[in-house]
């Protein structure tokens, strides 16, 4: 009896490739190793193979799949699929049109489609539930497996956009797998981030080729993948990620920072370098302004290290990528400051690319940057300073929650009021069911009210130095410290110091000095109850 196509398990979908087999392995031995260790669906994909060979391979692989009651999908070749009575077919955008394939297959076979654009989702939705059963969304990351790819990597956020399109087009029946460059070092981040904004769905599985087919130990590779899927949480940073709103303990955060003297690595713009270093020192942190690719892994392993990536920096993108990967590998916090996010196309592409390189503990920006990241406002930014300050606060809150939710991070939106939202969900993820309906507007948030500090906008690197402050406090936490508390504490501290400094200074020059002194004093006296910036629940 057949596995009914409604019950297909898409969680670990192996797509074969017999051009990358290691010495001593065969197509069948790799598929068998996969089937024995948790592969739940197989697709035979052979680009340039004679039909006779393809048929022989298909029959062999079908026998193996039947033993494990795992459906076999044939890529592209509908004739071969019919000839061997496969369980279904997968076609790409340039293969036989979907309605024709469905006509040849009949209603009970599984039909999959490669999807990379929202417009393709709209087409799929128009065809209705009897046409396509699942889509392969890709490619998520760069991959050498697909020859002359016609599309570029979309990153986890690109997958989110396709999932959102399925939801807005009501294609509830359609299942999804992500594909392209998926390996153990990035799969948890894909599983954590790839969900629809309404919280109703996440990807139903991951699909890969080389991680298994090119593996000298395909059984072990498959077991590792299986474990990542079943684990259902990604602790990307070794401090506590809150799962719900709870009291903020600022005093405790500062005590931990003073005790642990965090190493705060800055990859930032030239203007911010010196001031960021001095802010970090004032906070009992230890700054290192390193952009040396080969030392990133060493620095990430120093106790209480944290990384600030401020994209005004001109460090080569590969250097920044190496640092992001290193700090994720050693579970140390990374703060991302997408300076001038959408001011120019160059910065937009650069920031979007950097955002695909890792999981960030905090993303902070001004209102224009956060509105753009949330894809709320198309208005181009005016330079790198905050844009329209008259944006109403409910829109800013919503944008902050949206960014926090999309990237499963803590998002800070600075301005008259500061908005801080916690979209981490404690690092927990689930296949298919998303966040079970918990959407962006339901995630916990804090609003910091401090009154305006006009002069803050008249000095260089004020926003950037909030980044230094956040990275310093996150880095200074003990493992049982709370990431959200550290971020909120940083905003309260920085704004309170800014207020104090603005009352004492005689101009922007002395404001810089007064700001450092205020940070220095507030940290050492550690009396948050006396600070001007306070939490409000708008
Ligand atoms: C078969 C395929 N389709 C893609 C798409 O983007 O539609 S990417 C891809 C190859 C994925 O191979 P690997 O797991 O080795 O990166
Ligand atoms: C190009 C492809 C894209 N996606 C998929 C799958 F993951 F299976 F959906 N298979 C392919 N051959
Ligand atoms: Mg900024």
């Amino acid at each position: 009896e057949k596995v009914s196509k409604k019950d297909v398990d898409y969680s670990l979908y192996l797509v074969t490739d017999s051009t990358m087999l290691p010495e001593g392995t065969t197509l069948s031995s790799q598929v068998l190793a996969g089937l024995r260790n948790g592969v739940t669906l197989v697709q035979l994909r052979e680009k340039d193979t004679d039909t006779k060979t393809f048929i022989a391979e298909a029959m062999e692989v079908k026998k193996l799949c039947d033993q494990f009651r795992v459906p076999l999908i044939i890529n592209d070749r509908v004739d071969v699929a019919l000839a061997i009575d496969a369980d279904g077919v997968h076609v790409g955008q340039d293969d036989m049109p979907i309605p024709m394939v469905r006509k040849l297959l009949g209603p009970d076979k599984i039909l999959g489609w490669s999807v990379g654009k929202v417009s393709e989702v709209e087409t799929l939705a128009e065809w209705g539930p009897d046409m396509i059963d699942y889509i392969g969304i890709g490619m998520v990351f760069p991959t050498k497996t697909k020859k002359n790819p016609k599309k570029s990597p979309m990153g986890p956020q690109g997958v989110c956009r396709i999932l959102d399109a399925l939801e807005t087009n009501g294609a509830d029946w359609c299942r999804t797998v992500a594909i392209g460059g998926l390996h153990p070092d990035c799969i948890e981040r894909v599983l954590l981030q790839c969900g629809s904004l309404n919280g109703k769905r996440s990807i139903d599985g991951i699909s890969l080729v080389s991680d298994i087919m090119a593996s000298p130990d395909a059984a072990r590779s498959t077991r590792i993948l299986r474990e990542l899927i079943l684990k259902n949480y990604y602790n990307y940073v070794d401090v506590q990620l809150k799962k719900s709103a709870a009291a903020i303990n600022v005093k405790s955060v500062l005590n931990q920072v003073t005790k642990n003297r965090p190493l705060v690595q800055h990859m930032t713009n030239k203007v911010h370098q010196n001031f960021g270093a001095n802010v970090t020192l004032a906070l009992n942190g230890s700054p290192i302004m390193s952009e040396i690719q080969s030392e990133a892994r060493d620095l990430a392993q120093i106790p209480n290290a944290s990384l600030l990536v401020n994209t005004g920096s001109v460090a080569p993108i590969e250097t920044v990528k190496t640092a992001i990967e290193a700090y994720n590998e050693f579970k140390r916090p990374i703060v991302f400051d997408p300076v001038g996010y959408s001011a120019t196309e160059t910065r937009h592409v650069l920031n979007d690319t950097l955002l695909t390189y890792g999981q960030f503990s905090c993303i902070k920006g001004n209102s224009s940057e956060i509105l753009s990241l949330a894809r709320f406002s198309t208005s181009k930014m005016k330079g790198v300073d905050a844009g329209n300050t008259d944006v109403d606060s409910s829109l800013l809150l919503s944008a902050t929650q949206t960014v926090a939710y999309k990237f499963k991070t803590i998002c800070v939106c600075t301005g008259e009021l500061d908005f801080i939202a916690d979209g981490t969900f404690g690092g927990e993820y689930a296949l298919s069911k998303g966040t079970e309906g918990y959407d962006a507007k339901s995630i916990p948030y804090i609003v910091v009210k401090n009154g305006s500090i006009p002069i803050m906008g008249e000095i260089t690197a004020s926003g950037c130095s909030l980044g230094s402050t956040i990275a310093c406090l996150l880095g200074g936490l003990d493992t049982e410290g709370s990431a959200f508390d550290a971020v909120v504490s940083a905003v309260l501290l920085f704004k309170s110091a800014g207020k104090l400094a603005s009352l004492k200074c005689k101009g922007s020059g002395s404001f810089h000095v007064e700001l450092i002194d205020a940070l220095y004093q507030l940290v050492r006296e550690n009396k948050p109850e006396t600070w001007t910036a306070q939490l409000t629940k708008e």
Side-chain angles (χ1 to χ4, degrees):
E1 75 294 355
K2 289 260 173 209
V3 172
S4 138
K5 74 179 186 175
K6 293 286 157 261
D7 305 333
V8 171
D9 178 348
Y10 290 94
S11 60
L12 184 48
Y13 186 173
L14 170 62
V15 177
T16 69
D17 183 324
S18 48
T19 67
M20 59 172 71
L21 298 171
E23 269 303 300
T25 72
T26 64
L27 171 66
S28 295
S29 76
Q30 297 294 70
V31 172
L32 184 53
L35 288 168
R36 282 184 173 144
N37 290 278
V39 159
T40 59
L41 186 58
V42 174
Q43 178 189 130
L44 183 64
R45 179 173 183 267
E46 297 285 347
K47 274 294 149 192
D48 34 26
T49 307
D50 301 334
T51 302
K52 188 173 177 217
T53 313
F54 199 145
I55 294 272
E57 286 178 353
M59 291 170 72
E60 168 113 1
V61 170
K62 177 121 178 36
K63 224 168 40 238
L64 297 176
C65 289
D66 288 351
Q67 280 168 24
F68 292 84
R69 286 173 50 71
V70 167
L72 172 63
I73 307 286
I74 302 296
N75 181 55
D76 192 5
R77 296 290 301 270
V78 183
D79 54 341
V80 172
L82 293 173
I84 66 140
D85 188 24
D87 299 285
V89 164
H90 184 96
V91 290
Q93 292 295 321
D94 303 334
D95 297 327
M96 183 187 289
I98 285 290
M100 282 185 186
V101 179
R102 175 52 78 194
K103 193 153 170 285
L104 289 173
L105 287 184
D108 300 333
K109 299 273 185 194
I110 301 163
L111 179 48
W113 205 28
S114 301
V115 166
K117 295 183 194 131
V118 169
S119 58
E120 292 155 358
V121 173
E122 286 154 3
T123 304
L124 164 167
E126 276 157 34
W127 282 326
D130 300 334
M131 201 63 81
I132 285 175
D133 298 298
Y134 77 87
I135 56 175
I137 307 173
M139 70 276 286
V140 186
F141 300 110
T143 173
K144 292 193 284 296
T145 303
K146 187 160 187 134
K147 307 294 172 248
N148 55 51
K150 297 192 184 65
K151 43 192 180 177
S152 53
M154 61 170 69
Q157 293 307 307
V159 177
C160 292
R161 284 193 284 280
I162 299 297
L163 297 176
D164 287 335
L166 287 170
E167 288 300 301
T168 44
N169 285 279
D172 300 349
W173 68 88
C174 187
R175 306 275 52 93
T176 63
V177 292
I179 187 169
L182 297 185
H183 297 280
D185 64 343
C186 63
I187 279 170
E188 289 161 298
R189 158 161 121 251
V190 165
L191 291 168
L192 178 64
Q193 288 189 25
C194 295
S196 59
L197 258 182
N198 64 10
K200 292 230 176 81
R201 80 157 66 216
S202 43
I203 49 176
D204 297 284
I206 54 170
S207 177
L208 28 78
V209 183
S210 56
D211 203 71
I212 293 176
M213 295 307 294
S215 169
D217 185 348
R220 181 172 177 280
S221 298
T222 307
R223 282 196 299 276
I224 291 167
L225 294 166
R226 190 84 238 143
E227 151 66 22
L228 293 177
I229 292 166
L230 295 176
K231 191 157 69 95
N232 72 32
Y233 68 88
Y234 173 28
N235 61 339
Y236 54 84
V237 68
D238 63 1
V239 295
Q240 300 311 305
L241 297 175
K242 279 184 174 169
K243 287 161 61 173
S244 62
I248 306 284
N249 189 336
V250 179
K251 201 184 279 285
S252 165
V253 167
L254 294 189
N255 286 333
Q256 293 172 61
V257 174
T258 299
K259 168 168 66 84
N260 293 325
R261 259 197 90 70
L263 177 95
V264 186
Q265 180 175 354
H266 287 61
M267 289 188 147
T268 187
N269 61 70
K270 294 189 175 66
V271 171
H272 172 223
Q273 300 255 2
N274 176 53
F275 194 61
N278 281 311
V279 163
T280 302
L281 286 162
L283 300 173
N284 284 326
S286 164
I288 177 157
M289 321 317 266
S290 162
E291 294 180 355
I292 301 169
Q293 186 167 20
S294 58
E295 72 178 6
R297 281 175 61 89
D298 301 337
L299 298 177
Q301 294 178 71
I302 292 173
N304 293 99
S306 64
L307 174 67
L308 171 66
V309 175
N310 171 304
T311 48
S313 134
V314 286
I317 192 161
E318 281 309 311
T319 301
V320 185
K321 181 177 191 224
T322 303
I324 291 170
E325 289 169 343
Y327 279 76
N328 271 173
E329 180 184 342
F330 295 107
K331 302 194 180 309
R332 297 305 306 158
I334 310 173
V335 177
F336 188 74
D337 184 348
V339 176
Y341 177 70
S342 62
T344 64
E345 194 45 33
T346 312
R347 282 177 182 265
H348 206 149
V349 169
L350 168 70
N351 282 301
D352 278 350
T353 305
L354 287 173
L355 283 163
T356 67
Y357 288 157
Q359 179 61 39
F360 299 94
S361 294
C362 176
I363 295 176
K364 84 118 203 129
N366 60 38
S367 50
S368 303
E369 290 154 350
I370 299 303
L371 284 164
S372 299
L373 259 176
R375 295 183 172 237
F376 272 24
S377 83
T378 51
S379 69
K380 287 277 162 261
M381 279 182 44
K382 300 190 283 284
V384 295
D385 302 318
N388 35 13
T389 49
D390 56 1
V391 177
D392 71 50
S393 63
S394 66
L395 184 68
L396 289 178
L397 170 60
S398 174
T400 308
Q401 290 177 304
T402 298
V403 172
Y405 185 94
K406 286 165 76 167
F407 292 93
K408 296 297 179 291
T409 189
I410 297 169
C411 181
V412 176
C413 177
T414 58
E416 281 291 295
L417 296 171
D418 298 305
F419 300 93
I420 309 159
D422 184 349
T424 61
F425 286 86
E428 292 179 9
Y429 56 74
L431 283 181
S432 312
K433 56 188 182 182
T435 49
E436 300 186 81
Y438 278 96
D439 62 3
K441 60 183 174 305
S442 63
I443 67 173
Y445 68 88
I446 294 272
V447 180
V448 171
K449 204 178 180 74
N450 185 43
S452 72
I453 316 173
I455 195 155
M456 191 73 107
E458 290 167 43
I459 62 162
T460 56
S462 61
C464 302
S465 296
L466 171 59
S468 304
T469 306
I470 295 170
C472 187
L473 270 54
L474 274 172
L477 291 177
D478 295 321
T479 49
E480 54 281 347
S482 155
F484 191 57
D485 286 24
V487 175
V488 172
S489 302
V491 174
L492 288 168
L493 171 62
F494 194 77
K495 283 304 179 78
S496 301
K499 189 64 146 181
L500 275 178
S502 70
L503 300 174
K504 290 186 178 175
C505 71
K506 301 174 190 59
S508 56
S510 52
F511 179 72
H512 258 123
V513 171
E514 293 293 349
L515 181 56
I516 298 272
D517 281 354
L519 288 168
Y520 186 93
Q521 286 150 22
L522 292 183
V523 163
R524 281 155 186 77
E525 73 188 21
N526 194 359
K527 289 195 174 61
E529 61 281 6
T530 67
W531 296 354
T532 58
Q534 290 302 328
L535 303 184
T536 72
K537 197 78 180 170
E538 284 270 309

